[in-house]
Amino acid sequence: MSEIFATTGTIAAIATAVVPQQGSVSIVRVSGSQAMAIAQMLFHAPGKQAWESHRILYGYIRHPQTQQLIDEALLLVMQAPRSYTREDVVEFHCHGGIIAVQQVLQLCLENGARLAQPGEFTLRAFLNGRLDLTQAESIADLVGAKSPQAAQTALAGLQGKLAYPIRQLRANCLDILAEIEARIDFEEDLPPLDDKSIISEIDKITAEITQLLATRDKGELLRTGLKVAIVGRPNVGKSSLLNAWSRSDRAIVTDLPGTTRDVVESQLVVGGIPIQVLDTAGIRETADQVEKIGVERSRRAANAADLVLFTIDAGAGWTEGDQEIYAQVQHRPLILVINKVDLVDETTSKDLQSKIQNPKSKILTAASQNRGIDDLETAILAKVKLEKIQAADMDLAINQRQAAALTQAKISLEQVQATIAQQLPLDFWTIDLRGAIQALGEITGEEVTESVLDRIFSRFCIGK
Ligand SMILES: Nc1nc2c(c(=O)[nH]1)N(C=O)[C@@H](CNc1ccc(C(=O)N[C@@H](CCC(=O)O)C(=O)O)cc1)CN2
Ligand SMILES: Nc1nc2c(ncn2[C@@H]2O[C@H](COP(=O)(O)OP(=O)(O)OP(=O)(O)O)[C@@H](O)[C@H]2O)c(=O)[nH]1
Ligand SMILES: [K+]
Ligand SMILES: [Mg+2]
């Protein structure tokens, strides 16, 4: 194990969010061989309460030397191996805020524990075989989920819905490998190898890998979401659109062109996809120093966004200014928002919509009247091809690391097929088959390097 994961000794950390003056309960979690001894040193349970596994004790936390009262608390005892880490675990459930809980943590550290590294509890759960790597990654995803759908997908992973098929595919590869190796070692004693059945087995495995790979885009969307920038001339109603969409007064709206000077952000969820919306300063030539900087930021936001909502004013039609901005953003994924349709009659707005050839994706809104938001969301979901994503798979979704390993496994298996087709010696078949087995093993963690573990577990917060 690497230095930061020299995961020995007893570890302790605050397991709940640390917010001053807030939170009704805060938990200090301790894991390792000294956990029980630490609990017995700090915790006093009045009356005849049993210090048994999976029981909650009521009592007081006191300084072991001075006997000073630190908190009134509950203690949860979970003896190995029936715990999150499979080690002895105790949890001090303290009052919220940060003072009492930090004092309790400090006492744990002074009495036999050290501060846990980020993800170290979960790392121990992995090293002790309670979780595989996909499940550990799912825990990080669950904590980081920005939408209920993202949380559902993480829970599916935690339930082993990815680990199970991956382990199955790896076991199939191992079976094929054993078949081939037996022929290498004891050729004369065995019936000849059934090439056809091996080829079709590998085809089946490859097809399943392809199916799993199809969940990658969905995973990416659910985990990281989309960055959407609202861009256009001053006064077309960009800030009004942000406000209508986020049902808030997040951005200042006035009838003065040049109202928005800086990028204004809002978070929302559309069809399970977390979306970060950026309202930007209206783009125009200006002598105003502050506005100039704002316009520059608008351009940068448009370039950094996954999707641009290029907004125009239906009353003004497609102006020269619109054309100039469009020329700058047209290479980006884009939806044209024709706003203020309430200012023109329906035929005029429909005309405008059909006259504009590009972009293809166009919607009509009246932001100040909260109209057109449904159409906007539908257009966005169509743009990210959510239908395809939903069809890709029920509830699981792979991440980038898993996708890279699956791609490697697929390439190796295609290599095996090529080797068979060229009728190369059996030793050659096994080389690439081992490559596939290795790649699949990296996903679940049956074969994994220290640096991969470092990368995965350092994403966690302290106490997880
Ligand atoms: N107070 C508290 N709440 C929590 C956690 C925790 O550690 N502490 N969890 C932590 O993230 C989650 C629950 N996850 C857990 C998963 C497994 C075990 C556990 O003890 N598993 C044992 C045996 C269970 C049994 O006796 O059947 C095992 O799997 O061996 C505990 C919590 C969410 N809520
Ligand atoms: N009639 C009508 N007026 C609108 C609509 N949307 C916005 N407005 C008005 O247009 C004016 C400008 O709106 P803003 O949302 O500030 O426009 P903006 O594009 O953010 O402007 P800048 O930040 O200055 O670039 C305000 O007076 C809004 O009330 C709409 O759909 N219909
Ligand atoms: K304005
Ligand atoms: Mg604005």
Side-chain angles (χ1 to χ4, degrees):
M1 288 278 83
S2 66
E3 184 112 71
I4 62 164
F5 290 136
T7 192
T8 53
T10 297
I11 52 174
I14 299 175
T16 42
V18 180
V19 185
Q21 299 160 331
Q22 281 180 46
S24 47
V25 176
S26 280
I27 298 177
V28 175
R29 178 152 65 168
V30 186
S31 179
S33 58
Q34 293 307 299
M36 280 298 275
I38 291 169
Q40 274 158 350
M41 197 145 22
L42 306 182
F43 194 81
H44 302 262
K48 291 201 192 102
Q49 302 181 55
W51 283 70
E52 286 170 2
S53 189
H54 291 75
R55 288 227 184 214
I56 297 262
L57 300 170
Y58 165 82
Y60 298 93
I61 300 167
R62 290 183 181 280
H63 191 288
Q65 277 83 51
T66 65
Q67 295 305 309
Q68 185 202 338
L69 184 61
I70 308 294
D71 200 0
E72 177 197 41
L74 297 175
L75 181 78
L76 170 58
V77 177
M78 290 171 281
Q79 265 163 349
R82 287 179 60 209
S83 75
Y84 184 67
T85 56
R86 289 211 165 149
E87 302 174 326
D88 281 350
V89 170
V90 299
E91 291 182 355
F92 297 92
H93 294 212
C94 307
H95 283 98
I98 61 168
I99 302 304
V101 78
Q102 279 178 347
Q103 286 175 333
V104 173
L105 174 62
Q106 191 54 40
L107 287 177
C108 291
L109 301 182
E110 285 166 13
N111 288 280
R114 66 165 169 84
L115 189 63
Q117 297 286 340
E120 198 170 4
F121 290 92
T122 308
L123 175 67
R124 288 184 176 195
F126 165 69
L127 293 174
N128 292 330
R130 211 184 70 71
L131 299 169
D132 87 319
L133 221 42
T134 68
Q135 291 172 309
E137 288 178 302
S138 298
I139 288 177
D141 287 342
L142 183 59
V143 173
K146 289 185 260 180
S147 77
Q149 288 83 345
Q152 278 301 313
T153 306
L155 276 172
L158 187 53
Q159 302 294 303
K161 292 210 179 158
L162 180 57
Y164 181 77
I166 300 282
R167 267 205 299 272
Q168 205 59 48
L169 292 174
R170 186 165 176 273
N172 294 346
C173 289
L174 283 166
D175 287 344
I176 300 172
L177 182 67
E179 276 280 301
I180 301 171
E181 283 184 332
R183 295 315 189 288
I184 297 173
D185 298 339
F186 321 100
E187 191 167 8
E188 26 327 315
D189 314 331
L190 292 168
L193 202 58
D194 183 354
D195 291 15
K196 280 218 188 67
S197 100
I198 288 187
I199 291 170
S200 94
E201 271 297 306
I202 294 177
D203 274 342
K204 262 195 265 168
I205 297 170
T206 310
E208 275 193 57
I209 290 177
T210 305
Q211 271 190 347
L212 289 172
L213 276 169
T215 67
R216 163 202 225 149
D217 290 350
K218 173 184 164 190
E220 187 64 10
L221 268 179
L222 286 176
R223 283 185 197 95
T224 49
L226 286 180
K227 194 182 270 199
V228 176
I230 308 174
V231 176
R233 282 190 300 114
N235 249 17
V236 295
K238 299 177 297 299
S239 300
S240 303
L241 186 65
L242 176 88
N243 288 350
W245 196 8
S246 60
R247 293 176 190 83
S248 72
D249 290 325
R250 183 78 183 81
I252 299 172
V253 168
T254 77
D255 54 9
L256 300 171
T259 301
T260 305
R261 296 301 186 94
D262 215 336
V263 176
V264 179
E265 279 185 39
S266 186
Q267 301 287 339
L268 32 99
V269 174
V270 175
I273 302 172
I275 296 191
Q276 180 187 29
V277 194
L278 308 175
D279 171 31
T280 65
I283 297 178
R284 65 171 169 185
E285 285 300 322
T286 172
D288 184 311
Q289 279 304 312
V290 180
E291 192 177 353
K292 236 193 185 110
I293 297 170
V295 168
E296 191 43 48
R297 290 189 177 190
S298 303
R299 294 208 171 91
R300 262 188 275 145
N303 280 317
D306 301 302
L307 178 65
V308 172
L309 300 181
F310 176 48
T311 309
I312 66 169
D313 176 342
W318 183 274
T319 68
E320 224 166 275
D322 294 325
Q323 182 57 43
E324 273 171 33
I325 300 170
Y326 182 61
Q328 296 169 30
V329 294
Q330 62 175 342
H331 62 287
R332 310 284 313 158
L334 190 139
I335 294 173
L336 176 67
V337 179
I338 304 170
N339 189 40
K340 305 197 188 184
V341 290
D342 56 300
L343 293 182
V344 296
D345 57 46
E346 210 178 312
T347 36
T348 313
S349 62
K350 290 277 183 221
D351 263 12
L352 188 57
Q353 188 176 19
S354 57
K355 262 207 321 255
I356 300 171
Q357 290 291 314
N358 287 307
K360 293 271 175 289
S361 176
K362 293 169 265 206
I363 55 153
L364 303 173
T365 61
S368 60
Q369 299 172 20
N370 302 317
R371 277 170 49 200
I373 300 300
D374 286 351
D375 289 349
L376 171 62
E377 296 192 343
T378 306
I380 289 177
L381 295 181
K383 198 87 191 162
V384 299
K385 305 200 170 63
L386 193 76
E387 314 83 7
K388 204 183 97 196
I389 288 159
Q390 278 164 345
D393 212 284
M394 17 11 188
D395 44 7
L396 73 89
I398 59 170
N399 64 27
Q400 298 297 344
R401 182 190 79 84
Q402 295 155 355
L406 279 171
T407 303
Q408 185 53 56
K410 191 173 165 181
I411 292 169
S412 297
L413 291 175
E414 283 162 359
Q415 226 25 74
V416 179
Q417 297 286 39
T419 311
I420 298 175
Q422 293 164 37
Q423 299 186 316
L424 293 175
L426 292 183
D427 291 303
F428 287 83
W429 304 19
T430 62
I431 294 172
D432 293 308
L433 199 48
R434 280 182 215 281
I437 291 164
Q438 163 81 30
L440 292 170
E442 279 170 16
I443 298 175
T444 52
E446 281 153 303
E447 304 190 46
V448 76
T449 61
E450 211 175 278
S451 69
V452 170
L453 290 186
D454 275 7
R455 214 170 324 129
I456 291 172
F457 287 95
S458 57
R459 275 175 58 210
F460 284 73
C461 43
I462 290 187
K464 204 61 196 127

